[in-house]
Amino acid sequence: MKAYFSELFTGAWSLILGLKVTLKALFSPVVTVQYPRQKIDVTPNYRGHIDLIKDPETGTHRCITCGMCMRDCPSDCIYLEGEKREGVKGKVLTLYTLDYTKCSHCGACVEVCPTQALEYCDDYEVAGFAREDFHYDLLKRVEERE
Amino acid sequence: MQTLNSYAPEIIRIVIAVVGATVLVFGNALVMGYMERKLAGHFQRRTGPMEVGFHGILQLVIDGIKLMSKQLVIPAKADKPLYMLAPIVSFGPVFLPLLVIPFSDRIQAFDLDVGLLFILAIAAINVLAILVAGWASNNKYSMFGAFRAVAQNVAYEIPMLLSLLAIVFMTNTFSLRGIVEAQNVWFIVLQPVAFLIYLVCMVAETNRAPFDLPEAESELTAGFLTEYGGMGFSLFMMAEYTNMFIVCSIATVFFLGGTSGIPLPYFEYTGIIWFLLKVYLLMFFLVWIRWTYPRTRFDQLMNLCWKYLLPFSLVNLLITAVVVKL
């Protein structure tokens, strides 16, 4: 009999506490945003597809065309080419393509790069109608960036 | 409507009452549909409908058009006549209780001597509709939902009646007008236990969370609603919202003094403002608990009814009877 009433009162009390929690939530400010009209900053930890970093000192990328990223990529989504030029030390990057349809964001390319030439970009609106929309030319992207 | 009674012929009175009830049913479904979704959003700290109209105010109109334009799909092995009949049986009777509810001193279609019995009798038809819907859908989820609805509604009808009966003992009348007029002090003060019991039963009777076992999504997809789409579904939903309105109106009439409030000019008519305010506060409470409590298990639901509500309502009734007799 005692258990019956104590159960009743603890139960009722916990119900009241529950109501208090949701009432507090009702009068708290909304935490979501109306997405296509409002956007929030992307967290720096976000992993988009990879991008070549634009070095502020030289005004261009830091890739030395060693091909480590191409070899290290488990999904074979990176392809790059370079050529030897007169008067320039080392090879010059002529093509850097990323097949984003295969990329799994493992980050092996970013880690293996000897010159830290790669980063994750923060593009998150990357819908497309064709597979080819996701074949990125990273060299062109780094040149086009301001 | 008493004034109309003396001037206008009966037929006009009936037409006005029926039109009023229809407007109330559809208007209430619109308001509640919007309020429920908006509140659901804010209880979870999001915004709810925002796109259609200012702050999504036209969302329900769009939803209505969508539901009306949808094809009525009847499952291949369903019992076709019953399947079509169930939403109508659910939605048809919800107009009738509105006719005896005293919205204000003069806005009431008929003041039946047995108003309470009338409302409870009509409200019980909804259980039949759910059973028919579950049976006719020829679907195991629908069937289970219907089983649960019947067991739950039959169980909770008893403490609900007993708690209301305590009020009837005090007022000596079944007429809703009579009960409103008998309240010098709101009966929530004199009968707090009956009010609490009624409040719990009210949630269970309308099959709403945390007692929404007949349509528990996570276990029964949507219970008896599983096979219904388009207008069949929306008729059930409108019936549910109207039933919410009716049970909240009974609570207002029995425990919250009906129309009583700060006097306004032309109070015989403007009393409806206080009445609707109280009803919608109770509706807000229903939405509030829906978004607070998790769904009960079926044995817990039955335990609550038979082990707590029923003994308490019986004791309450007994005490009331003794006090009234003294």
Side-chain angles (χ1 to χ4, degrees):
Chain A
M1 203 64 192
K2 201 182 156 207
Y4 176 86
F5 280 102
S6 74
E7 202 176 307
L8 184 66
F9 282 110
T10 51
W13 181 242
S14 73
L15 291 182
I16 292 168
L17 287 183
L19 285 177
K20 224 166 78 183
V21 170
T22 39
L23 193 69
K24 216 189 260 170
L26 179 64
F27 292 107
S28 311
V30 167
V31 289
T32 55
V33 295
Q34 298 297 303
Y35 161 59
R37 306 188 212 320
Q38 267 173 289
K39 288 174 187 172
I40 49 175
D41 294 335
V42 180
T43 159
N45 284 339
Y46 179 74
R47 285 188 177 195
H49 65 78
I50 52 164
D51 234 348
L52 288 165
I53 297 171
K54 191 158 199 167
D55 196 329
E57 284 170 27
T58 59
T60 181
H61 60 84
R62 294 195 286 257
C63 181
I64 52 169
T65 329
C66 66
M68 289 292 278
C69 47
M70 182 161 62
R71 252 172 285 149
D72 221 28
C73 180
S75 331
D76 285 337
C77 46
I78 298 170
Y79 178 75
L80 58 87
E81 281 174 4
E83 61 178 23
K84 194 86 182 101
R85 281 196 191 142
E86 282 298 315
V88 185
K89 204 178 161 208
K91 281 166 106 181
V92 178
L93 188 67
T94 54
L95 180 70
Y96 196 116
T97 60
L98 168 72
D99 183 358
Y100 191 43
T101 59
K102 293 192 217 158
C103 175
S104 55
H105 300 143
C106 69
C109 45
V110 177
E111 272 172 39
V112 80
C113 185
T115 56
Q116 276 89 48
L118 291 171
E119 64 173 352
Y120 303 108
C121 76
D122 57 4
D123 284 1
Y124 57 94
E125 294 165 309
V126 282
F129 289 100
R131 196 175 304 165
E132 288 70 33
D133 293 349
F134 301 102
H135 295 176
Y136 298 123
D137 187 343
L138 297 191
L139 191 59
K140 212 160 94 192
R141 277 174 64 94
V142 77
E143 277 159 11
E144 278 168 4
R145 234 176 316 152
E146 75 288 336
Chain B
M1 295 253 170
Q2 273 177 345
T3 40
L4 282 171
N5 203 6
S6 47
Y7 304 124
E10 184 73 9
I11 185 78
I12 293 181
R13 219 167 72 84
I14 292 174
V15 167
I16 292 174
V18 169
V19 169
T22 314
V23 169
L24 189 67
V25 166
F26 287 95
N28 175 60
L30 280 181
V31 171
M32 271 313 290
Y34 179 68
M35 190 169 123
E36 172 131 334
R37 291 172 64 173
K38 211 64 188 168
L39 284 173
H42 282 279
F43 274 123
Q44 297 169 356
R45 302 189 68 182
R46 53 191 177 82
T47 53
M50 282 295 273
E51 292 302 312
V52 192
F54 175 74
H55 279 247
I57 205 144
L58 297 175
Q59 183 68 47
L60 264 286
V61 180
I62 297 292
D63 284 355
I65 292 168
K66 184 203 100 178
L67 285 168
M68 272 190 273
S69 57
K70 275 176 93 167
Q71 185 192 1
L72 289 174
V73 181
I74 301 175
K77 288 189 177 168
D79 189 332
K80 199 176 164 190
L82 283 183
Y83 181 84
M84 301 289 277
L85 195 64
I88 302 167
V89 174
S90 174
F91 182 66
V94 298
F95 294 91
L96 296 174
L98 297 174
L99 298 178
V100 297
I101 291 171
F103 290 103
S104 77
D105 291 349
R106 290 203 174 169
I107 305 177
Q108 182 186 21
F110 306 102
D111 184 24
L112 287 186
D113 290 339
V114 288
L116 174 65
L117 294 182
F118 179 73
I119 289 183
L120 292 171
I122 299 290
I125 296 176
N126 192 41
V127 189
L128 177 71
I130 291 174
L131 183 62
V132 168
W135 171 256
S137 298
N138 193 23
N139 175 322
K140 53 185 176 291
Y141 298 124
S142 303
M143 198 67 240
F144 271 117
F147 285 159
R148 289 179 175 193
V150 173
Q152 174 180 339
N153 278 289
V154 169
Y156 275 83
E157 207 119 282
I158 300 164
M160 186 178 186
L161 281 170
L162 290 176
S163 65
L164 293 179
L165 208 55
I167 305 288
V168 174
F169 276 10
M170 292 169 72
T171 58
N172 237 344
T173 175
F174 277 119
S175 150
L176 300 187
R177 170 78 61 73
I179 288 162
V180 170
E181 280 165 2
Q183 292 184 59
N184 300 320
V185 187
W186 289 5
F187 284 152
I188 187 174
V189 182
L190 302 177
Q191 290 279 7
V193 179
F195 180 68
L196 284 177
I197 291 167
Y198 181 79
L199 212 58
V200 177
C201 296
M202 177 170 105
V203 183
E205 278 292 301
T206 47
N207 295 334
R208 283 181 62 84
F211 303 131
D212 60 343
L213 289 116
E215 44 196 272
E217 293 104 359
S218 48
E219 40 201 282
L220 296 180
T221 55
F224 62 93
L225 288 169
T226 308
E227 297 291 352
Y228 283 93
M231 252 351 243
F233 172 79
S234 64
L235 285 182
F236 272 119
M237 286 315 288
M238 274 193 282
E240 183 186 321
Y241 282 132
T242 315
N243 283 330
M244 279 168 68
F245 185 88
I246 292 164
V247 291
C248 290
S249 304
I250 299 179
T252 308
V253 167
F254 275 73
F255 297 102
L256 301 177
T259 57
S260 73
I262 302 161
L264 296 165
Y266 303 106
F267 196 71
E268 313 85 81
Y269 297 104
T270 51
I272 194 172
I273 294 171
W274 296 121
F275 187 87
L276 289 180
L277 189 73
K278 288 169 194 172
V279 169
Y280 278 95
L281 271 177
L282 282 170
M283 300 268 241
F284 167 77
F285 184 72
L286 283 181
V287 176
W288 183 10
I289 58 177
R290 173 172 178 186
W291 295 103
T292 305
Y293 301 139
R295 187 181 305 123
T296 52
R297 225 167 46 215
F298 200 73
D299 58 318
Q300 294 170 335
L301 178 86
M302 286 298 158
N303 272 351
L304 179 67
C305 178
W306 298 114
K307 282 162 79 174
Y308 290 95
L309 297 183
L310 193 64
F312 271 93
S313 57
L314 280 172
V315 169
N316 184 54
L317 193 66
L318 202 67
I319 294 172
T320 311
V322 169
V323 170
V324 167
K325 192 73 188 164
L326 293 177

